[in-house]
Amino acid sequence: MIKKTVLKYTLNIGLLLTGLSLSAQNPIIQTKFTADPAPMVYKDTVFLYTSHDEDDAFGFKMKDWLLYTSTDMVNWTDHGVVASLKDFKWTDPENGAWAPQVIERNGKFYMYCPMPGQRGIGVLVADSPYGPFKDPIGKPLVKNSSDDIDPTVLIDNDGQAYLYWGNPNLWYVKLNKDMISVDGPVVKDPSIAKVKGSPDPFHYQEGPWAWKRNGNYYMAYASTCCPEGIGYAMGKSTTGPWEYKGMIMDSDKRSNGNHPGIIDYKGKSYVFGFNYNLGKQTISKHYERRSICVSELTYNADGTIQKLPFWNPEGVKRIATLNPYEKVEAETIAYSEGLKTEKMTEWERNNPYDTGKKITDRLVVSSINNGDYLKVQGVDFSKGTKFLEVSVASMNGGSIEIHTDAVDGPILGTIQVTGKAEGDVFKTIKSPVKNIKGVHDLYFVFKGSKELFYFDWWKFSAS
């Protein structure tokens, strides 16, 4: 409860103290501290794998990796912990779950993870991008040096896969087609140390991200320390030689570190990274409590990248709409204030000595108090609205006001949650709402006293 209270204070009061707009979208996750973004496009969805700073972290306190998904780049659905250090039986499970990357090949999903205590880089595999991920080899995939952090993977057009990593040097090795074994020696990249024909260094530091686009090979990375910006180089092959091209984003004293993740999605390009804004809204000293951000990326005709300002608070524009007539998980959020998310298991619990059968696992919105809210962007009410259903488990009861287009905008309807002392029993409440059409942003604004309820999902009925 202390952790929740500290983060709630940071998110709730901090916005007011810094004067940030309530419509701000960066950082894109507000319910947890997230870092080291590893986006992957699979079919029509962006899968954003992240590292996770604990709420009470002073330095790096990281035990697991999280997953968020989006089909519109503004509403992100929390899927909770997708893997953790405990999935590697041969490493320290307590701390050190640093920057990962996930890549798909032949219908399987491979997650490359640095191991704490200079134990190398491990690999997990799953049949689904949602997991479960399992360790197929029971040992490090690579154990080379103290540089063994921040893995990134590129599969070239000929099918050859390469694993890159390193701080403060860049290393690479070929992967076999099974993606869980290496082919040949580990190589220290000789070209990334200096700009070709210049005495100026690349300022490569860590966090490499490799990709190929329109025949060009790219290597982005956290540049200089500290603070770190995002630099990039281009090459004519997967192994370079790399030629420094400039900065995607200059360093900024507001953010100690950085870590790029770059994708193309639905005709646009995006760069992910992180800042410390949520934590620094109320805490003056430096703590490793980071928050992922995203900006749209623009390429020039020659393949070079236009420099971006430091993470803009507005984030990126919505590129799709949300269907309100299907069940929407409450942890699908464009922006929120004061809230957390957590996994809950519901049991029958027929008597004190027996849990009974497991009813279900849920990921829910929690730590809901008076004045907290969550926003979803671009809800398409093409069929109008008649009723709203919500699934909640009530602790002290309260209400949910549904506002349109602003946190204090017109009220579409109000859900009354009347039960008390039922925080382990989820019930569906159905209430009439006004009829509206068109595309609107929705704000679920919570009212009441004490901690109100858990919020699982919502769904509208057409008029």
Side-chain angles (χ1 to χ4, degrees):
M1 183 59 68
I2 291 175
K3 294 180 184 179
K4 290 184 185 179
T5 303
V6 169
L7 185 57
K8 176 180 287 290
Y9 181 81
T10 297
L11 302 185
N12 234 0
I13 304 301
L15 285 172
L16 300 177
L17 292 179
T18 56
L20 291 178
S21 167
L22 291 176
S23 63
Q25 297 298 302
N26 266 333
I28 61 173
I29 308 297
Q30 308 86 38
T31 55
K32 294 185 177 77
F33 290 115
T34 56
D36 305 322
M40 177 188 73
V41 177
Y42 180 65
K43 296 185 176 179
D44 67 340
T45 301
V46 177
F47 290 80
L48 178 61
Y49 300 88
T50 82
S51 61
H52 171 211
D53 294 326
E54 297 292 335
D55 289 354
D56 60 351
F58 279 71
F60 295 109
K61 186 178 181 182
M62 308 159 72
K63 300 182 178 182
D64 48 35
W65 296 280
L66 309 179
L67 171 61
Y68 299 84
T69 60
S70 181
T71 56
D72 57 22
M73 292 302 295
V74 293
N75 298 301
W76 293 93
T77 301
D78 189 344
H79 297 274
V81 175
V82 71
S84 78
L85 290 171
K86 293 180 180 179
D87 293 312
F88 297 96
K89 305 303 181 186
W90 45 271
T91 196
D92 178 2
E94 294 304 317
N95 193 7
W98 291 5
Q101 188 177 347
V102 177
I103 193 166
E104 182 269 341
R105 186 166 194 171
N106 298 328
K108 289 188 178 294
F109 301 86
Y110 300 89
M111 185 173 192
Y112 299 89
C113 309
M115 293 292 101
Q118 300 180 11
R119 291 179 174 90
I121 295 171
V123 60
L124 301 173
V125 63
D127 294 324
S128 163
Y130 300 98
F133 284 88
K134 297 181 180 180
D135 183 357
I137 58 176
K139 61 180 181 179
L141 171 64
V142 170
K143 193 174 189 302
N144 179 61
S145 72
S146 60
D147 291 353
D148 294 346
I149 66 169
D150 297 348
T152 182
V153 182
L154 170 64
I155 302 175
D156 205 357
N157 292 0
D158 62 3
Q160 180 62 60
Y162 294 79
L163 176 71
Y164 310 82
W165 70 93
N167 175 347
N169 300 293
L170 179 66
W171 302 81
Y172 68 86
V173 71
K174 290 182 178 180
L175 296 176
N176 288 313
K177 289 183 178 180
D178 63 9
M179 302 296 283
I180 59 172
S181 60
V182 301
D183 177 16
V186 169
V187 179
K188 183 178 180 179
D189 189 280
S191 67
I192 208 160
K194 290 181 180 292
V195 179
K196 186 177 181 181
S198 168
D200 297 330
F202 259 95
H203 298 303
Y204 171 88
Q205 182 67 36
E206 59 183 341
W209 185 271
W211 77 104
K212 185 179 182 181
R213 187 179 188 273
N214 294 340
N216 295 314
Y217 295 87
Y218 295 84
M219 185 68 68
Y221 49 86
S223 173
T224 314
C225 187
C226 292
E228 293 178 338
I230 299 176
Y232 79 103
M234 296 175 64
K236 296 180 179 179
S237 76
T238 49
T239 57
W242 300 106
E243 183 177 349
Y244 174 73
K245 291 296 182 180
M247 299 297 290
I248 295 175
M249 181 179 294
D250 285 333
S251 61
D252 190 285
K253 63 182 181 180
R254 291 171 289 177
S255 185
N256 189 59
N258 228 317
H259 192 291
I262 296 171
I263 57 169
D264 290 339
Y265 181 60
K266 293 185 178 180
K268 295 181 179 292
S269 300
Y270 299 95
V271 55
F272 294 76
F274 61 77
N275 64 24
Y276 294 72
N277 280 15
L278 293 183
K280 286 190 174 181
Q281 284 163 4
T282 55
I283 299 173
S284 62
K285 298 177 183 179
H286 180 78
Y287 300 84
E288 290 298 339
R289 303 175 192 176
R290 297 161 290 177
S291 299
I292 287 176
C293 300
V294 64
S295 291
E296 189 172 344
L297 200 66
T298 301
Y299 292 87
N300 297 311
D302 63 357
T304 57
I305 299 170
Q306 294 182 15
K307 184 186 287 190
L308 290 165
F310 187 71
W311 305 112
N312 62 301
E314 294 79 16
V316 298
K317 293 181 179 179
R318 174 177 56 83
I319 58 173
T321 56
L322 191 67
N323 182 0
Y325 309 113
E326 296 178 350
K327 186 183 293 184
V328 180
E329 295 296 328
E331 60 276 10
T332 299
I333 300 172
Y335 204 80
S336 67
E337 189 171 309
L339 304 175
K340 297 282 288 175
T341 59
E342 62 182 86
K343 182 179 179 180
M344 298 181 64
T345 300
E346 187 177 2
W347 302 90
E348 283 183 329
R349 196 70 180 178
N350 294 321
N351 63 64
Y353 308 103
D354 183 10
T355 59
K357 294 180 181 179
K358 183 169 78 171
I359 297 174
T360 190
D361 288 321
R362 304 175 189 267
L363 195 68
V364 301
V365 174
S366 61
S367 194
I368 300 174
N369 288 269
N370 183 58
D372 294 344
Y373 75 89
L374 70 83
K375 171 190 176 183
V376 289
Q377 272 198 45
V379 183
D380 186 1
F381 292 110
S382 59
K383 302 176 183 177
T385 53
K386 188 174 184 180
F387 293 100
L388 172 62
E389 293 178 88
V390 300
S391 175
V392 294
S394 178
M395 287 174 280
N396 291 286
S399 64
I400 308 173
E401 294 179 356
I402 300 89
H403 294 253
T404 54
D405 300 320
V407 70
D408 57 353
I411 294 181
L412 183 59
T414 301
I415 300 286
Q416 298 294 339
V417 182
T418 57
K420 290 189 176 183
E422 296 177 341
D424 56 346
V425 179
F426 281 84
K427 295 181 178 179
T428 300
I429 301 174
K430 186 175 184 178
S431 180
V433 295
K434 296 177 182 177
N435 184 25
I436 62 168
K437 289 192 174 182
V439 178
H440 297 271
D441 295 346
L442 285 187
Y443 292 76
F444 294 81
V445 182
F446 306 106
K447 302 289 186 178
S449 61
K450 301 181 181 179
E451 197 160 3
L452 307 183
F453 40 76
Y454 298 107
F455 188 12
D456 189 17
W457 55 262
W458 56 270
K459 178 183 178 182
F460 281 87
S461 300
S463 60

